[in-house]
């Protein structure tokens, strides 16, 4: 046995370790087609125009014109002749065009900011639709995944493909290099020709001087355009080539994480609180429950109108989010939602409708008591949108296959665009002034109306004829301040300070015309007083002090304050 164990084993042959390298397969890119190359230059031109017309000149008529150009170029590039885009995408495109027009008509900063976001979203959906690049069904919440991905992720994802195709084309074609060399050679020649042309013609001389004066702005605009263009081209190129379209479009399902028992228990706790809230409301209708109300509580319309409105509005918004998340991520059996989840979701939806109805009633009383404000009108529009969302959620609970997201997007977009076309600043001012003149409102906040901007000028002019001398004086001083800040006086007429068509806003043009007519109707003494006060506002920074009821210039310790004896606002400097 020992001998057997001592038998020498054959010596192992040393095998050096050689790592196995996985060959890196370099992605091959196809050169840009002629259509791609031409439209890349057009997108650069669009970016330059958008930068100059909108970004650096305010989002007014310049934005409307540049957006229409971008919309047309994008449509020509992305339109797929072999397939027809759906009505949903086309409607989104048309609504976005309509929304862009409102920016050249009215000047409401908050409304315009939301409108820009809405236009961007609708335009994204339009581009996805006409290029047939949807990855998910358009009828439910998964559409939002396509929207966010297309707007924020795809432009960055597709940059490598775009640059790869550009580089592949450059290797096979030296035309771009030749064109660049030609441009560089032309520069020295221009240094000789341009001065000669400047010396020969006054108009050309003025144009060149204007360009030199604003050269810094032009460089900034070009820099912005050069930064934005690759992202725009990447987005459009990806849509046309369908780089982001995945196989099995519309068949992928969202990973559901919430167990039914957890979802039901969560919804039950929320619903229990709502039941208790409904129980507490009995105190308003039955004497047996009066003990719930705080001691000394007195119910009146103004208290009801003010208290709890925004809290109710917030609760409804939270409920919409809760129902959406639970519906999207709760586990299902055989593709069907649990009866318990459906039932409790329905209760929360109906409770939300009740809260909306109460909130609407509060807002109605609020307006009847205190008049219109732009925030109240905006909230009314948002409540109407919430009503649409909840209604379709209730339909979705019982008919999950009914497409709801498309309808919600279209209806809510139309509501907001219609609200913007209505010019809520003008509606607010008109209602409050008429209600005040008819005695429905005890007072009118002239300074608040003045802060609404251009749309309120005609209504301020009406207030200058008010029976209340103080109200008339407040309207007069508000008009003087507005004219000093937004217009220049030339030959007895007011002209908006920004005469360039890119700055044009219809409501400001109309306000200047109305102001000119009002100024022409003044007596020589009134015109002199108007001009003197206007010069003070033009050369100093006055802000209205609500507590002391005066316009105060903190920098120079000067103010305009109402004098009951002269029945006008008088200028004075602090000692």
């Amino acid at each position: 046995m020992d001998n057997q164990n001592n038998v020498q084993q054959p010596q192992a042959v040393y095998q050096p370790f050689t790592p196995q390298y996985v060959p890196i397969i370099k992605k091959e890119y196809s050169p840009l087609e002629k259509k791609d190359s031409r439209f890349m230059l057009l997108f650069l031109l669009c970016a330059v125009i958008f930068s100059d017309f909108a970004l650096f000149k305010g989002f007014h008529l310049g934005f409307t014109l540049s957006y229409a150009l971008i919309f047309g170029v994008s449509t020509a590039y992305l339109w797929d002749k072999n397939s027809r885009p759906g009505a949903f995408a086309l409607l989104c495109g048309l609504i976005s065009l309509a929304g862009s027009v409102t920016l050249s008509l009215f000047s409401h900063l908050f409304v315009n900011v939301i409108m820009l976001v809405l236009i961007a979203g609708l335009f994204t959906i339009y581009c996805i639709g006409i290029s047939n690049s949807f990855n998910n069904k358009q009828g439910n919440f998964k559409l939002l995944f396509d929207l966010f991905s297309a707007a924020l992720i795809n432009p960055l994802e597709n940059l490598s493909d775009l640059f790869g195709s550009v580089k592949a084309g450059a290797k096979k074609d030296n035309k771009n290099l030749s064109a660049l060399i030609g441009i560089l050679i032309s520069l020295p020649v221009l240094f000789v020709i341009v001065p000669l042309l400047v010396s020969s013609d006054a108009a050309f001389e003025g144009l060149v001087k204007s360009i030199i004066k604003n050269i810094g702005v032009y460089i900034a605009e070009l820099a912005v355009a050069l930064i934005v263009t690759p992202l725009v081209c990447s987005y459009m190129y990806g849509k046309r080539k369908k780089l982001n379209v995945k196989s099995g479009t519309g068949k992928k399902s969202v990973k559901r994480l919430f167990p039914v028992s957890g979802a039901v228990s969560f919804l039950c706790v929320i619903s229990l609180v709502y039941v208790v809230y409904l129980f507490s409301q009995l105190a308003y209708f039955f004497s047996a429950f009066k003990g719930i109300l705080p001691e000394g509580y007195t119910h009146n319309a103004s208290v009801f109108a003010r208290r709890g409105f925004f809290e109710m509005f917030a609760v409804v918004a939270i409920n919409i989010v809760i129902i959406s998340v639970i519906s999207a991520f709760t586990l299902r059996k055989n593709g069907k939602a649990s009866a318990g989840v459906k039932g409790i979701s329905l209760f929360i939806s109906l409770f939300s409708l009740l809260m909306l109805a109460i909130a609407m009633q509060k807002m109605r009383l609020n307006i009847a008591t205190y008049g219109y404000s732009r925030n109240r009108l905006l909230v009314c529009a948002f409540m109407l949108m919430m009503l649409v969302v909840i209604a379709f959620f209730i339909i979705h609970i019982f008919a999950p296959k009914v497409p709801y997201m498309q309808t919600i997007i279209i209806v809510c977009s139309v509501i907001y665009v219609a609200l913007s076309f209505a010019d809520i600043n003008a509606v607010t001012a008109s209602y409050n002034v008429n209600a005040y003149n008819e005695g429905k409102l005890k007072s009118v906040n002239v300074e608040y109306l003045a802060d609404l901007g251009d749309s309120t000028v005609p209504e301020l002019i009406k207030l200058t004829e008010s029976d209340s001398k103080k109200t008339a004086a407040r309207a007069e001083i508000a008009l003087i301040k507005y004219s000093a800040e937004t217009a220049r006086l030339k030959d007895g007429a007011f002209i908006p300070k920004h005469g360039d068509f890119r700055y044009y806003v219809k409501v400001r043009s109309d306000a200047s015309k109305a102001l000119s007519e009002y100024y022409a109707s003044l007596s020589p003494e009134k015109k002199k007083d108007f001009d003197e006060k206007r010069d003070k506002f033009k050369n100093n920074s006055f802000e209205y002090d609500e507590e002391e009821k005066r316009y105060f210039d903190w920098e120079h310790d000067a103010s305009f304050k109402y004098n009951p004896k002269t029945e006008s606002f008088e200028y004075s400097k602090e000692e």
Side-chain angles (χ1 to χ4, degrees):
M1 295 293 294
D2 294 339
N3 292 335
Q4 291 177 353
N5 291 334
N6 291 331
V7 174
Q8 187 174 4
Q9 298 294 325
Q11 188 174 2
V13 179
Y14 173 72
Q15 296 288 340
F17 174 75
T18 55
Q20 298 295 318
Y21 291 102
V22 178
I24 298 174
I25 301 175
K26 191 174 181 180
K27 186 175 180 180
E28 294 291 333
Y29 295 101
S30 301
L32 292 178
E33 299 175 10
K34 286 186 178 180
K35 180 177 181 179
D36 297 323
S37 301
R38 291 167 182 169
F39 272 89
M40 296 304 130
L41 294 175
L42 284 176
F43 285 127
L44 173 60
L45 178 62
C46 288
V48 172
I49 292 174
F50 183 81
S51 178
D52 179 65
F53 278 40
L55 290 179
F56 285 78
K57 298 298 187 296
F59 290 86
H60 301 305
L61 179 59
F63 171 80
T64 304
L65 295 175
S66 57
Y67 178 70
L69 176 64
I70 292 170
F71 187 91
V73 172
S74 301
T75 301
Y77 181 65
L78 294 177
W79 192 270
D80 190 345
K81 297 179 181 179
N82 299 322
S83 59
R84 292 183 179 180
F88 171 60
L90 295 177
L91 279 174
C92 286
L94 292 175
I95 295 171
S96 72
L97 281 174
S100 71
V101 174
T102 64
L103 276 78
S104 62
L105 298 179
F106 313 112
S107 54
H108 187 312
L109 179 60
F110 182 72
V111 172
N112 287 354
V113 169
I114 297 179
M115 181 62 73
L116 289 172
V117 175
L118 178 62
I119 290 171
L122 293 174
F123 179 68
T124 302
I125 294 174
Y126 172 73
C127 290
I128 300 172
I130 64 173
S131 61
N132 293 294
S133 301
F134 280 108
N135 276 317
N136 296 291
K137 293 180 180 178
Q138 302 170 46
N140 57 30
F141 70 96
K142 296 176 187 176
L143 169 64
L144 299 178
F145 295 160
D146 273 343
L147 176 59
F148 291 127
S149 178
L152 303 175
I153 300 173
N154 294 162
L156 297 175
E157 278 184 339
N158 300 335
L159 277 174
S160 60
D161 292 271
L162 176 64
F163 289 145
S165 296
V166 171
K167 189 176 179 181
K171 289 180 179 179
K172 296 184 177 181
D173 191 354
N174 291 323
K175 288 182 180 179
N176 293 333
L177 180 60
S178 300
L180 180 60
I181 293 172
I183 292 172
L184 293 175
I185 293 174
S186 71
L187 293 179
V189 180
L190 289 178
F191 280 116
V192 176
I193 293 176
V194 170
L196 293 174
L197 292 175
V198 167
S199 301
S200 66
D201 184 76
F204 187 72
E205 179 185 9
L207 176 63
V208 172
K209 285 183 177 179
S210 175
I211 292 173
I212 294 173
K213 181 181 177 181
N214 299 299
I215 191 67
V217 175
Y218 295 142
I219 291 173
E221 291 175 352
L222 183 60
V224 171
L226 291 175
I227 293 171
V228 170
T229 300
L231 296 174
V232 173
C233 292
S234 171
Y235 172 79
M236 295 296 175
Y237 183 72
K239 289 290 166 283
R240 183 169 184 264
K241 298 297 182 180
K242 297 179 175 53
L243 299 179
N244 308 111
V245 178
K246 300 172 184 177
S247 58
T249 299
K251 297 181 180 180
K252 280 194 168 186
S253 59
V254 175
K255 188 175 182 181
R256 301 183 183 274
L257 305 173
F258 303 154
V260 174
S261 58
V264 170
S265 61
F266 171 78
L267 293 175
C268 281
V269 172
I270 302 297
S271 299
L272 181 61
V273 175
Y274 291 159
V275 170
V276 173
Y277 176 86
L278 293 174
F279 177 79
S280 71
Q281 301 304 294
L282 297 175
Y284 295 109
F285 308 104
F286 302 103
S287 58
F289 296 92
K290 290 293 183 184
I292 296 175
L293 289 169
E295 187 176 349
Y297 175 84
T298 56
H299 178 77
N300 58 59
S302 61
V303 171
F304 177 76
R306 285 197 307 267
R307 181 166 180 175
F309 169 79
F310 288 104
E311 289 80 359
M312 286 185 172
F313 192 70
V315 167
V316 174
I318 292 170
N319 285 348
I320 290 175
V321 174
I322 288 173
I323 296 170
S324 302
V325 172
I326 292 297
S327 173
F329 297 104
T330 300
L331 294 171
R332 298 187 177 188
K333 188 175 182 180
N334 298 326
K336 294 183 179 180
S338 162
V341 171
K342 281 186 176 181
I344 304 173
S345 296
L346 176 62
F347 170 76
I348 293 177
S349 299
L350 294 175
F351 177 81
S352 299
L353 287 178
L354 176 63
M355 295 289 279
L356 265 181
I358 296 173
M360 287 178 174
Q361 177 66 3
K362 282 177 174 287
M363 182 56 71
R364 187 186 69 80
L365 286 173
N366 202 316
I367 290 173
T369 307
Y370 305 107
Y372 279 176
S373 75
R374 59 186 174 191
N375 290 341
R376 288 168 194 154
L377 290 177
L378 279 171
V379 168
C380 287
F382 287 131
M383 283 195 293
L384 187 58
M385 293 180 196
M386 283 186 169
L387 193 63
V388 172
V389 172
I390 294 172
F392 276 96
F393 274 8
I394 292 175
I395 293 172
H396 179 66
I397 289 172
F398 297 101
K401 292 185 178 180
V402 173
Y404 60 90
M405 186 56 68
Q406 293 167 310
T407 310
I408 288 175
I409 289 174
I410 294 297
V411 173
C412 290
S413 298
V414 168
I415 290 173
Y416 192 78
V417 171
L419 174 74
S420 186
F421 270 110
D423 189 8
I424 59 175
N425 286 345
V427 172
T428 298
S430 178
Y431 174 87
N432 289 345
V433 170
N434 291 334
Y436 173 73
N437 290 334
E438 294 169 6
K440 295 179 182 178
L441 292 177
K442 295 179 180 179
S443 62
V444 61
N445 191 335
V446 176
E447 290 70 34
Y448 171 76
L449 295 183
D451 286 340
L452 294 179
D454 309 306
S455 304
T456 62
V457 169
E459 303 305 323
L460 290 175
I461 293 174
K462 285 184 185 178
L463 285 178
T464 60
E465 301 175 359
S466 173
D467 294 335
S468 169
K469 298 297 183 182
K470 186 173 183 179
T471 299
R474 290 165 65 192
E476 288 172 3
I477 200 72
L479 286 171
I480 293 171
K481 184 175 186 293
Y482 171 84
S483 71
E485 292 175 346
T486 64
R488 51 193 175 89
L489 186 60
K490 184 179 180 181
D491 299 329
F494 287 96
I495 303 170
K497 286 185 177 179
H498 297 297
D500 193 313
F501 74 94
R502 292 167 292 187
Y503 292 98
Y504 176 84
V505 185
K506 182 180 182 300
V507 72
R508 177 160 293 182
S509 177
D510 292 344
S512 296
K513 291 177 183 177
L515 195 60
S516 298
E517 293 175 3
Y518 168 75
Y519 183 76
S521 69
L522 297 177
S523 64
E525 293 78 12
K526 282 279 189 180
K527 281 184 180 178
K528 182 180 178 181
D529 182 63
F530 189 103
D531 293 339
E532 289 175 353
K533 291 176 179 177
R534 184 173 179 273
D535 286 338
K536 294 286 193 304
F537 277 110
K538 186 167 58 175
N539 299 323
N540 300 288
S541 301
F542 285 90
E543 295 295 335
Y544 187 71
D545 187 341
E546 182 64 36
E547 292 184 3
E548 299 188 19
K549 307 298 181 185
R550 63 174 178 168
Y551 290 92
F552 192 75
D553 179 9
W554 300 96
E555 185 178 350
H556 300 94
D557 290 331
S559 66
F560 276 101
K561 193 170 184 178
Y562 180 72
N563 187 338
K565 293 181 180 179
T566 60
E567 296 179 341
S568 66
F569 277 79
E570 294 185 352
Y571 177 81
S572 64
K573 295 206 73 170
E574 302 293 325
E575 297 295 336

